[in-house]
Amino acid sequence: MLLAILAAVIHLLYHQEFADADIPNDCFAVAAATGETAVPKLVCLTFDDGPSPNTQPILEILAQEKVPATFFVCAQDINREYLPLVRTIAQQGHQVAMHSATHRYAKIYQSPDAFWQDIKTLRQALEPYISLDTLTWLRFPGGSTNTVSHKYGGSSIMKELKAQTEEKGWHWIDWNVCGEDATAAHPDADGILCNIQEDARDLSTCVVLLHDTKATGQTVQALPQIIGWFREEGYTFCTVEQLAELQTTGE
């Protein structure tokens, strides 16, 4: 009975919100399962720090594979000329979410006020390309548990920022799988895939951290393999927002 109810809710969500998207929302079109293993395996592909010259080829791969993703975007000087791609990201059925305007820890983590001023600047930069009402998700640079911010804004700054995010009615999310594509190690496409496979082992829900910056061309090369591997492992792709909706309806 519970499965039947969940399936009905999922069906309704699909037709209400995603029927017109260029990329089908197969997050909720999960095959019927039996016994106690009916919970689907879900994966969110997330891309931080873009858009950049690598965003367009990533979008082309996602379109070809019919996979939705979430892009946590910035508005730094280095990527401002690519901001019109934000409109394309949304039009193709992906989720656009907030990351940072400057991504400079020493600036944004000086205080909560400094952080929210940075987000205000980011939203102003994105306003020509997307409705600001849709921007209700964010990812903190360095993640919500980073300690680098402590030397600028004190040991409680991340706790304060998380609480304030929720007070705004917004949402934040970290990751539990990392391709390490933006680290000093600069892994190649095979290395990125291996990192993801290692982190995703035994997880039924994966939020994968990748990057679509100018320096992460190997991520573009790895993406088809990443998608193929998750499919072989029985995962269904979804955006961060879709994942949260499914988790809410399943409570």
Side-chain angles (χ1 to χ4, degrees):
M1 179 64 72
L2 288 176
L3 283 176
I5 295 172
L6 179 58
V9 173
I10 287 170
H11 180 78
L12 179 61
L13 283 171
Y14 170 76
H15 285 286
Q16 280 185 339
E17 299 195 25
F18 302 103
D20 296 329
D22 289 346
I23 293 182
N25 170 38
D26 59 356
C27 167
F28 300 128
V30 180
T34 59
E36 298 180 355
T37 59
V39 177
K41 295 170 71 174
L42 301 172
V43 56
C44 300
L45 298 181
T46 70
F47 297 89
D48 283 15
D49 300 352
S52 79
N54 282 318
T55 303
Q56 184 59 46
I58 286 173
L59 288 173
E60 291 171 2
I61 294 169
L62 294 173
Q64 181 177 353
E65 298 289 343
K66 293 182 168 42
V67 167
T70 303
F71 291 79
F72 290 90
V73 300
C74 291
Q76 304 175 75
D77 291 340
I78 195 172
N79 74 327
R80 279 188 177 270
E81 66 177 290
Y82 301 100
L83 285 182
L85 281 171
V86 169
R87 180 186 292 117
T88 304
I89 292 170
Q91 288 175 340
Q92 292 187 1
H94 305 292
Q95 180 183 352
V96 177
M98 300 173 286
H99 196 35
S100 174
T102 66
H103 210 287
R104 291 171 52 195
Y105 288 17
K107 179 177 181 180
I108 65 176
Y109 289 133
Q110 284 183 359
S111 67
D113 286 345
F115 180 85
W116 294 118
Q117 180 58 51
D118 178 85
I119 294 298
K120 179 180 178 180
T121 300
L122 173 64
R123 291 172 67 86
Q124 289 172 340
L126 298 178
E127 190 170 14
Y129 312 110
I130 190 171
S131 170
L132 295 185
D133 290 341
T134 67
L135 296 176
T136 59
W137 282 84
L138 68 83
R139 172 172 284 160
F140 298 108
S144 69
T145 60
N146 84 80
T147 57
V148 178
S149 59
H150 296 179
K151 69 178 181 179
Y152 305 115
S155 60
S156 65
I157 186 167
M158 296 313 302
K159 180 178 179 180
E160 293 176 51
L161 289 176
K162 287 185 284 187
Q164 290 171 359
T165 300
E166 294 166 2
E167 288 169 5
K168 291 176 179 290
W170 292 356
H171 316 279
W172 56 270
I173 190 168
D174 290 320
W175 59 91
N176 60 356
V177 176
C178 184
E180 299 183 27
D181 57 339
T183 63
H186 299 297
D188 61 12
D190 289 339
I192 293 170
L193 176 62
C194 287
N195 291 334
I196 288 173
Q197 291 171 328
E198 180 66 24
D199 283 356
R201 185 177 301 166
D202 300 325
L203 295 179
S204 61
T205 300
C206 297
V207 180
V208 183
L209 174 61
L210 294 164
H211 296 79
D212 61 327
T213 67
K214 184 178 180 180
T216 53
Q218 288 298 309
T219 302
V220 180
Q221 301 302 315
L223 187 55
Q225 301 176 68
I226 294 169
I227 292 172
W229 182 79
F230 275 112
R231 278 198 171 126
E232 290 174 0
E233 294 297 311
Y235 286 85
T236 299
F237 295 90
C238 61
T239 66
V240 164
E241 189 171 37
Q242 292 166 3
L243 175 64
E245 288 169 352
L246 180 55
Q247 291 174 333
T248 299
T249 58
E251 290 178 353

